[in-house]
Structures are given as structure tokens and as C-alpha cells.
Coordinates of all heavy atoms in Angstrom, one line a residue:
M1 N 5.9 -11.8 -13.5 CA 5.1 -11.8 -12.3 C 4.7 -10.4 -12.0 O 5.5 -9.5 -11.8 CB 5.9 -12.4 -11.1 CG 5.2 -12.3 -9.8 SD 6.3 -12.9 -8.5 CE 5.1 -13.6 -7.5
G2 N 3.4 -10.1 -12.0 CA 2.9 -8.8 -11.7 C 2.6 -8.6 -10.2 O 2.5 -9.5 -9.5
L3 N 2.5 -7.4 -9.8 CA 2.1 -7.0 -8.4 C 0.7 -6.8 -8.3 O 0.1 -5.9 -9.0 CB 2.9 -5.8 -8.0 CG 2.6 -5.2 -6.6 CD1 2.9 -6.2 -5.5 CD2 3.3 -3.9 -6.4
N4 N 0.0 -7.5 -7.5 CA -1.4 -7.2 -7.2 C -1.5 -7.0 -5.7 O -1.7 -7.9 -4.9 CB -2.3 -8.4 -7.6 CG -3.7 -8.2 -7.3 OD1 -4.1 -7.1 -6.8 ND2 -4.6 -9.1 -7.7
P5 N -1.4 -5.7 -5.3 CA -1.4 -5.4 -3.8 C -2.7 -5.8 -3.1 O -2.7 -5.9 -1.9 CB -1.2 -3.9 -3.8 CG -1.4 -3.4 -5.1 CD -1.3 -4.5 -6.1
A6 N -3.8 -5.9 -3.9 CA -5.1 -6.3 -3.2 C -5.1 -7.7 -2.9 O -5.9 -8.2 -2.1 CB -6.2 -5.9 -4.2
E7 N -4.2 -8.5 -3.5 CA -4.3 -10.0 -3.3 C -3.9 -10.3 -1.9 O -2.8 -9.9 -1.4 CB -3.3 -10.6 -4.3 CG -3.3 -12.1 -4.3 CD -2.4 -12.7 -5.3 OE1 -2.4 -12.1 -6.4 OE2 -1.7 -13.6 -5.0
G8 N -4.7 -11.0 -1.2 CA -4.4 -11.4 0.2 C -4.5 -10.3 1.2 O -4.1 -10.5 2.3
T9 N -5.1 -9.2 0.9 CA -5.3 -8.2 1.9 C -6.7 -8.0 2.3 O -7.6 -8.4 1.6 CB -4.7 -6.8 1.4 OG1 -5.6 -6.4 0.3 CG2 -3.3 -6.9 1.0
D10 N -6.9 -7.4 3.5 CA -8.2 -7.1 4.0 C -8.9 -6.0 3.2 O -10.1 -5.9 3.2 CB -8.1 -6.8 5.5 CG -9.4 -6.6 6.2 OD1 -10.4 -6.3 5.5 OD2 -9.5 -6.8 7.4
K11 N -8.2 -5.1 2.6 CA -8.6 -3.9 1.9 C -9.2 -2.8 2.7 O -9.6 -1.8 2.3 CB -9.7 -4.3 0.8 CG -9.1 -5.0 -0.4 CD -10.1 -5.1 -1.5 CE -9.6 -5.7 -2.7 NZ -10.5 -5.7 -3.8
S12 N -9.3 -3.0 4.0 CA -9.8 -2.0 4.9 C -9.2 -2.1 6.3 O -8.8 -3.2 6.7 CB -11.3 -2.0 5.0 OG -11.7 -3.2 5.7
I13 N -9.0 -1.0 6.9 CA -8.5 -1.0 8.3 C -9.7 -0.6 9.2 O -10.4 0.4 8.9 CB -7.3 -0.1 8.4 CG1 -6.2 -0.6 7.6 CG2 -6.9 0.1 9.9 CD1 -5.0 0.2 7.6
S14 N -9.9 -1.4 10.2 CA -11.1 -1.1 11.1 C -11.1 0.3 11.6 O -10.1 0.9 12.0 CB -11.0 -2.1 12.3 OG -11.9 -1.7 13.2
K15 N -12.3 0.9 11.5 CA -12.5 2.3 12.0 C -12.2 2.4 13.5 O -11.9 3.4 14.0 CB -13.9 2.8 11.6 CG -14.0 3.0 10.1 CD -15.4 3.5 9.8 CE -15.5 3.6 8.3 NZ -16.5 4.5 7.8
G16 N -12.3 1.3 14.2 CA -12.1 1.3 15.6 C -10.6 1.0 16.0 O -10.3 0.9 17.2
A17 N -9.8 0.9 15.0 CA -8.4 0.5 15.2 C -7.7 1.7 15.9 O -8.0 2.9 15.6 CB -7.7 0.2 13.9
T18 N -6.7 1.4 16.8 CA -5.9 2.4 17.4 C -4.9 2.9 16.5 O -4.6 2.3 15.4 CB -5.2 1.8 18.7 OG1 -4.3 0.9 18.3 CG2 -6.2 1.2 19.7
M19 N -4.3 4.0 16.8 CA -3.2 4.6 15.9 C -2.1 3.5 15.8 O -1.6 3.3 14.7 CB -2.7 5.9 16.5 CG -1.6 6.5 15.6 SD -2.1 6.8 13.9 CE -2.9 8.4 14.1
E20 N -1.7 2.9 16.9 CA -0.7 1.9 16.8 C -1.0 0.7 15.9 O -0.2 0.3 15.1 CB -0.4 1.3 18.2 CG 0.8 0.3 18.2 CD 1.1 -0.1 19.6 OE1 0.7 0.5 20.6 OE2 1.8 -1.2 19.7
E21 N -2.3 0.3 16.0 CA -2.7 -0.8 15.1 C -2.7 -0.4 13.6 O -2.3 -1.1 12.7 CB -4.1 -1.3 15.5 CG -4.2 -2.0 16.8 CD -5.6 -2.2 17.3 OE1 -6.5 -1.4 17.0 OE2 -5.8 -3.2 18.1
T22 N -3.1 0.8 13.4 CA -3.2 1.4 12.0 C -1.8 1.5 11.5 O -1.5 1.1 10.4 CB -3.8 2.8 12.0 OG1 -5.2 2.6 12.5 CG2 -3.8 3.4 10.6
L23 N -0.8 2.0 12.3 CA 0.6 2.1 11.8 C 1.2 0.7 11.6 O 2.0 0.5 10.7 CB 1.4 2.9 12.8 CG 1.0 4.4 12.9 CD1 1.8 5.1 14.0 CD2 1.2 5.1 11.6
Q24 N 0.8 -0.2 12.4 CA 1.3 -1.6 12.2 C 0.8 -2.2 10.9 O 1.5 -2.9 10.2 CB 0.9 -2.5 13.4 CG 1.7 -2.2 14.6 CD 1.2 -3.0 15.8 OE1 0.2 -3.7 15.8 NE2 1.9 -3.0 16.9
E25 N -0.5 -1.9 10.6 CA -1.0 -2.4 9.3 C -0.4 -1.7 8.1 O -0.1 -2.3 7.1 CB -2.6 -2.1 9.3 CG -3.2 -2.5 8.0 CD -3.1 -4.0 7.7 OE1 -2.9 -4.8 8.6 OE2 -3.3 -4.4 6.5
I26 N -0.1 -0.4 8.2 CA 0.6 0.3 7.2 C 2.0 -0.3 7.0 O 2.4 -0.6 5.8 CB 0.7 1.8 7.5 CG1 -0.6 2.5 7.4 CG2 1.7 2.5 6.6 CD1 -0.7 3.9 8.0
A27 N 2.7 -0.5 8.1 CA 4.1 -1.1 8.0 C 4.0 -2.5 7.3 O 4.8 -2.9 6.5 CB 4.7 -1.2 9.3
H28 N 3.0 -3.3 7.7 CA 2.8 -4.6 7.1 C 2.6 -4.5 5.6 O 3.2 -5.3 4.8 CB 1.6 -5.3 7.8 CG 1.2 -6.6 7.1 ND1 1.9 -7.8 7.2 CD2 0.2 -6.9 6.3 CE1 1.3 -8.7 6.5 NE2 0.3 -8.2 5.9
Q29 N 1.7 -3.7 5.2 CA 1.4 -3.5 3.8 C 2.6 -3.1 3.0 O 2.9 -3.6 1.9 CB 0.2 -2.5 3.5 CG -1.1 -2.9 4.1 CD -1.7 -4.0 3.3 OE1 -1.3 -4.4 2.2 NE2 -2.7 -4.6 3.9
L30 N 3.3 -2.1 3.5 CA 4.5 -1.6 2.8 C 5.6 -2.7 2.8 O 6.3 -2.9 1.8 CB 5.0 -0.3 3.5 CG 4.1 0.9 3.3 CD1 4.7 2.0 4.1 CD2 3.9 1.2 1.8
T31 N 5.8 -3.4 3.9 CA 6.8 -4.5 3.9 C 6.4 -5.6 2.9 O 7.3 -6.1 2.1 CB 6.9 -5.1 5.3 OG1 7.2 -4.1 6.2 CG2 7.9 -6.3 5.3
R32 N 5.1 -6.0 2.8 CA 4.7 -7.0 1.8 C 5.0 -6.5 0.4 O 5.5 -7.3 -0.4 CB 3.2 -7.3 2.0 CG 2.7 -8.4 1.2 CD 1.2 -8.7 1.5 NE 0.4 -7.5 1.2 CZ 0.1 -7.1 -0.1 NH1 0.6 -7.8 -1.1 NH2 -0.6 -6.0 -0.3
I33 N 4.6 -5.3 0.1 CA 4.9 -4.7 -1.2 C 6.4 -4.7 -1.5 O 6.8 -5.0 -2.6 CB 4.2 -3.4 -1.4 CG1 2.7 -3.6 -1.4 CG2 4.6 -2.7 -2.6 CD1 1.9 -2.3 -1.2
A34 N 7.2 -4.2 -0.5 CA 8.6 -4.2 -0.8 C 9.2 -5.5 -1.0 O 10.1 -5.7 -1.8 CB 9.3 -3.5 0.5
D35 N 8.7 -6.5 -0.3 CA 9.2 -7.9 -0.5 C 8.9 -8.4 -1.9 O 9.7 -9.1 -2.5 CB 8.6 -8.9 0.5 CG 9.1 -8.7 2.0 OD1 10.1 -8.0 2.1 OD2 8.4 -9.2 2.9
Q36 N 7.8 -8.0 -2.4 CA 7.4 -8.4 -3.8 C 8.1 -7.5 -4.8 O 8.2 -7.9 -6.0 CB 5.9 -8.3 -4.0 CG 5.1 -9.3 -3.2 CD 3.6 -9.1 -3.4 OE1 3.2 -8.4 -4.2 NE2 2.9 -9.9 -2.6
G37 N 8.6 -6.4 -4.4 CA 9.1 -5.4 -5.3 C 10.6 -5.4 -5.5 O 11.2 -4.5 -5.9
E38 N 11.2 -6.5 -5.2 CA 12.7 -6.6 -5.3 C 13.1 -6.7 -6.8 O 14.2 -6.7 -7.1 CB 13.2 -7.8 -4.5 CG 13.1 -7.5 -3.0 CD 13.6 -8.6 -2.1 OE1 14.0 -9.7 -2.7 OE2 13.6 -8.5 -0.9
Q39 N 12.1 -6.8 -7.7 CA 12.4 -6.9 -9.1 C 12.6 -5.5 -9.6 O 12.0 -4.5 -9.2 CB 11.2 -7.5 -9.9 CG 10.7 -8.8 -9.3 CD 9.4 -9.2 -10.0 OE1 9.3 -9.1 -11.2 NE2 8.5 -9.6 -9.2
A40 N 13.5 -5.3 -10.6 CA 13.7 -4.0 -11.2 C 12.6 -3.7 -12.1 O 12.0 -4.5 -12.7 CB 15.0 -4.0 -12.0
G41 N 12.2 -2.4 -12.1 CA 11.2 -1.9 -13.0 C 9.8 -2.2 -12.6 O 8.9 -2.3 -13.5
M42 N 9.5 -2.4 -11.4 CA 8.2 -2.7 -10.9 C 7.3 -1.5 -11.1 O 7.7 -0.4 -10.8 CB 8.2 -3.2 -9.5 CG 6.9 -3.5 -8.9 SD 7.0 -4.3 -7.3 CE 6.7 -5.9 -7.8
Q43 N 6.1 -1.8 -11.5 CA 5.1 -0.7 -11.7 C 3.7 -1.2 -11.1 O 3.4 -2.4 -11.1 CB 4.8 -0.4 -13.2 CG 5.9 0.2 -13.9 CD 5.5 0.6 -15.3 OE1 4.6 0.1 -15.9 NE2 6.3 1.5 -15.9
I44 N 2.9 -0.2 -10.7 CA 1.6 -0.5 -10.3 C 0.7 0.7 -10.7 O 1.2 1.9 -10.6 CB 1.5 -0.7 -8.8 CG1 0.1 -1.1 -8.3 CG2 2.0 0.5 -8.0 CD1 0.0 -1.7 -6.9
S45 N -0.5 0.5 -11.1 CA -1.3 1.6 -11.4 C -1.8 2.3 -10.1 O -2.0 1.7 -9.1 CB -2.5 1.2 -12.3 OG -3.5 0.6 -11.5
R46 N -2.1 3.6 -10.2 CA -2.6 4.3 -9.1 C -3.9 3.7 -8.6 O -4.1 3.6 -7.4 CB -2.7 5.8 -9.5 CG -3.3 6.7 -8.4 CD -3.4 8.1 -8.9 NE -4.0 9.0 -7.9 CZ -3.3 9.7 -7.0 NH1 -2.0 9.6 -7.0 NH2 -3.9 10.4 -6.1
G47 N -4.7 3.4 -9.5 CA -6.0 2.8 -9.2 C -5.9 1.5 -8.4 O -6.6 1.3 -7.4
D48 N -5.0 0.6 -8.9 CA -4.8 -0.7 -8.2 C -4.2 -0.5 -6.8 O -4.6 -1.1 -5.9 CB -3.9 -1.6 -9.0 CG -4.6 -2.2 -10.2 OD1 -5.8 -2.1 -10.3 OD2 -3.9 -2.7 -11.1
A49 N -3.3 0.5 -6.7 CA -2.6 0.7 -5.4 C -3.7 1.2 -4.4 O -3.7 0.8 -3.3 CB -1.5 1.7 -5.5
L50 N -4.5 2.2 -4.8 CA -5.5 2.8 -3.9 C -6.6 1.8 -3.6 O -7.2 1.8 -2.5 CB -6.0 4.1 -4.5 CG -5.0 5.2 -4.6 CD1 -5.6 6.4 -5.2 CD2 -4.4 5.5 -3.2
E51 N -6.9 0.9 -4.5 CA -7.9 -0.1 -4.3 C -7.5 -1.0 -3.1 O -8.3 -1.5 -2.3 CB -8.2 -1.0 -5.5 CG -9.3 -2.0 -5.4 CD -9.5 -2.8 -6.6 OE1 -9.3 -2.3 -7.7 OE2 -9.9 -4.0 -6.5
A52 N -6.2 -1.3 -3.0 CA -5.7 -2.1 -2.0 C -5.5 -1.4 -0.7 O -5.2 -2.0 0.4 CB -4.4 -2.7 -2.4
W53 N -5.7 -0.1 -0.7 CA -5.4 0.7 0.5 C -6.7 1.2 1.1 O -7.5 1.8 0.5 CB -4.6 1.9 0.1 CG -4.0 2.7 1.2 CD1 -4.3 4.0 1.5 CD2 -3.1 2.2 2.2 NE1 -3.6 4.4 2.6 CE2 -2.9 3.3 3.1 CE3 -2.5 1.0 2.4 CZ2 -2.0 3.2 4.2 CZ3 -1.6 0.9 3.5 CH2 -1.4 2.0 4.4
G54 N -6.9 1.0 2.4 CA -8.2 1.3 3.0 C -8.3 2.6 3.7 O -9.3 3.1 4.2
L55 N -7.1 3.4 3.8 CA -7.1 4.6 4.5 C -7.1 5.8 3.6 O -6.0 6.3 3.2 CB -5.9 4.7 5.5 CG -5.9 3.7 6.6 CD1 -4.5 3.8 7.3 CD2 -7.0 4.0 7.6
R56 N -8.2 6.3 3.2 CA -8.3 7.4 2.2 C -7.5 8.6 2.7 O -6.9 9.3 1.9 CB -9.7 7.8 1.9 CG -10.5 6.7 1.3 CD -10.0 6.5 -0.1 NE -10.8 5.4 -0.7 CZ -10.2 4.4 -1.4 NH1 -8.9 4.4 -1.6 NH2 -11.0 3.5 -2.0
I57 N -7.5 8.8 4.0 CA -6.8 10.0 4.5 C -5.3 10.0 4.3 O -4.7 11.0 4.2 CB -7.1 10.1 6.1 CG1 -6.4 11.3 6.7 CG2 -6.7 8.9 6.8 CD1 -6.8 11.6 8.1
Y58 N -4.7 8.8 4.1 CA -3.3 8.6 3.9 C -2.9 8.2 2.5 O -1.8 7.7 2.3 CB -2.7 7.6 4.9 CG -2.9 8.0 6.4 CD1 -3.7 7.3 7.2 CD2 -2.1 9.0 6.9 CE1 -3.9 7.7 8.5 CE2 -2.3 9.4 8.2 CZ -3.1 8.7 9.0 OH -3.3 9.1 10.3
E59 N -3.8 8.4 1.5 CA -3.5 7.9 0.2 C -2.2 8.5 -0.4 O -1.4 7.7 -0.9 CB -4.6 8.3 -0.8 CG -5.9 7.5 -0.6 CD -6.9 7.9 -1.6 OE1 -6.9 9.0 -2.2 OE2 -7.9 7.1 -1.7
E60 N -2.0 9.8 -0.3 CA -0.8 10.3 -0.9 C 0.5 9.8 -0.2 O 1.5 9.6 -0.8 CB -0.8 11.9 -0.9 CG -1.8 12.4 -1.9 CD -1.5 12.0 -3.4 OE1 -0.3 12.0 -3.8 OE2 -2.4 11.6 -4.0
D61 N 0.4 9.7 1.1 CA 1.6 9.2 1.9 C 1.9 7.7 1.4 O 3.0 7.4 1.3 CB 1.3 9.2 3.4 CG 1.2 10.6 4.0 OD1 1.9 11.5 3.4 OD2 0.5 10.8 4.9
F62 N 0.8 6.9 1.2 CA 1.0 5.6 0.8 C 1.7 5.5 -0.6 O 2.6 4.8 -0.9 CB -0.4 4.9 0.8 CG -0.3 3.5 0.2 CD1 0.4 2.4 0.9 CD2 -1.0 3.1 -0.9 CE1 0.4 1.2 0.4 CE2 -0.9 1.8 -1.4 CZ -0.3 0.8 -0.7
L63 N 1.1 6.3 -1.5 CA 1.7 6.4 -2.9 C 3.1 6.9 -2.9 O 4.0 6.3 -3.6 CB 0.8 7.3 -3.8 CG -0.6 6.7 -4.0 CD1 -1.4 7.8 -4.8 CD2 -0.6 5.4 -4.7
N64 N 3.4 7.8 -2.0 CA 4.8 8.3 -1.9 C 5.7 7.2 -1.3 O 6.9 7.1 -1.8 CB 4.9 9.6 -1.0 CG 4.3 10.8 -1.7 OD1 4.2 10.9 -2.9 ND2 3.8 11.7 -0.9
A65 N 5.2 6.5 -0.4 CA 6.0 5.4 0.2 C 6.3 4.3 -0.9 O 7.5 3.8 -1.0 CB 5.3 4.7 1.4
L66 N 5.4 4.0 -1.7 CA 5.6 3.1 -2.8 C 6.7 3.6 -3.7 O 7.6 2.8 -4.1 CB 4.3 2.8 -3.6 CG 3.2 2.1 -3.0 CD1 2.0 2.1 -3.9 CD2 3.6 0.7 -2.5
T67 N 6.7 4.8 -4.1 CA 7.7 5.4 -4.9 C 9.1 5.4 -4.3 O 10.0 5.0 -4.9 CB 7.3 6.9 -5.2 OG1 6.0 6.9 -5.9 CG2 8.4 7.6 -6.1
R68 N 9.1 5.6 -3.0 CA 10.4 5.6 -2.2 C 10.9 4.1 -2.2 O 12.1 3.9 -2.1 CB 10.3 6.1 -0.8 CG 10.2 7.6 -0.8 CD 10.3 8.2 0.6 NE 9.3 7.7 1.5 CZ 8.2 8.2 1.7 NH1 7.8 9.3 1.1 NH2 7.3 7.7 2.6
L69 N 10.0 3.1 -2.3 CA 10.4 1.7 -2.3 C 10.9 1.3 -3.8 O 11.3 0.2 -4.0 CB 9.3 0.8 -1.9 CG 9.0 0.9 -0.4 CD1 7.7 0.2 -0.1 CD2 10.1 0.3 0.4
G70 N 10.8 2.3 -4.7 CA 11.3 2.0 -6.1 C 10.2 1.4 -7.0 O 10.4 0.9 -8.0
I71 N 8.9 1.6 -6.5 CA 7.8 1.1 -7.3 C 7.2 2.3 -8.0 O 6.8 3.3 -7.4 CB 6.7 0.4 -6.4 CG1 7.3 -0.8 -5.7 CG2 5.5 0.0 -7.3 CD1 6.5 -1.3 -4.6
E72 N 7.2 2.2 -9.4 CA 6.6 3.3 -10.2 C 5.1 3.3 -10.1 O 4.5 2.2 -10.5 CB 7.1 3.2 -11.6 CG 6.6 4.3 -12.5 CD 7.0 4.2 -13.9 OE1 7.8 3.3 -14.2 OE2 6.6 5.0 -14.7
V73 N 4.5 4.3 -9.7 CA 3.0 4.4 -9.7 C 2.6 5.2 -10.9 O 3.0 6.3 -11.2 CB 2.5 5.2 -8.4 CG1 1.0 5.3 -8.4 CG2 3.0 4.5 -7.1
T74 N 1.8 4.5 -11.8 CA 1.4 5.1 -13.0 C -0.1 5.5 -13.0 O -0.8 5.0 -12.2 CB 1.6 4.0 -14.2 OG1 0.8 2.9 -13.9 CG2 3.0 3.6 -14.3
D75 N -0.4 6.4 -13.9 CA -1.9 6.8 -13.9 C -2.7 6.0 -14.8 O -2.5 5.1 -15.4 CB -1.9 8.3 -14.5 CG -1.5 9.3 -13.4 OD1 -1.7 9.0 -12.2 OD2 -0.8 10.2 -13.8

């Protein structure tokens, strides 16, 4: 079973969203990925991860969070 973070996501966060709404969406995305990532040796390509992520400003933070969750981000 592979990880497809874009599956079932909106792919964007509304530009009119408040900071609290944005942080809730980030928490939701990371929780969903962590729930799927309970398998050992999980990998995702950088391109696929960023395609599923709508906040360009927080790209590196998102990728770092994936790594901290034990998901290997590959090039």
C-alpha cells in the first residue's frame, strides 16, 4: 500500500483562512499522513508531498514534519 497524500485532500488552503484555520488544516494533514504512516519504511517523493501541500510558504516545515513522523522524503 503506497502513500498518496493528495488523495482525498483539497490541495489548497483558502487564502482567506485565519491562522487558526490554517494551523488546524496543517494538523489535519499531518495526522492523516501519520495515521497512514504506521508502516515501517514509508517513503514519499518530494514532488508528491508538495503537490498535496497548498502552503508554499511552509513547504520546508511540512517536509521536516514528515521526516519527524518517520516518513522518508525522497528526491
Side-chain angles (χ1 to χ4, degrees):
M1 173 185 216
L3 173 66
N4 182 358
E7 187 176 315
T9 65
D10 184 336
K11 287 193 177 184
S12 66
I13 295 176
S14 171
K15 291 183 183 196
T18 66
M19 179 60 80
E20 182 177 343
E21 291 168 334
T22 300
L23 293 174
Q24 287 175 351
E25 178 62 20
I26 291 167
H28 170 75
Q29 295 290 346
L30 292 175
T31 300
R32 189 181 57 76
I33 291 169
D35 288 346
Q36 293 178 9
E38 292 179 358
Q39 307 171 47
M42 180 171 254
Q43 291 185 342
I44 186 170
S45 75
R46 180 181 177 90
D48 286 346
L50 294 178
E51 182 179 330
W53 190 244
L55 294 174
R56 296 291 178 226
I57 181 173
Y58 296 111
E59 283 181 349
E60 287 305 314
D61 292 330
F62 177 67
L63 295 174
N64 289 335
L66 292 176
T67 301
R68 286 191 302 272
L69 289 170
I71 301 169
E72 181 183 355
V73 178
T74 61
D75 287 324

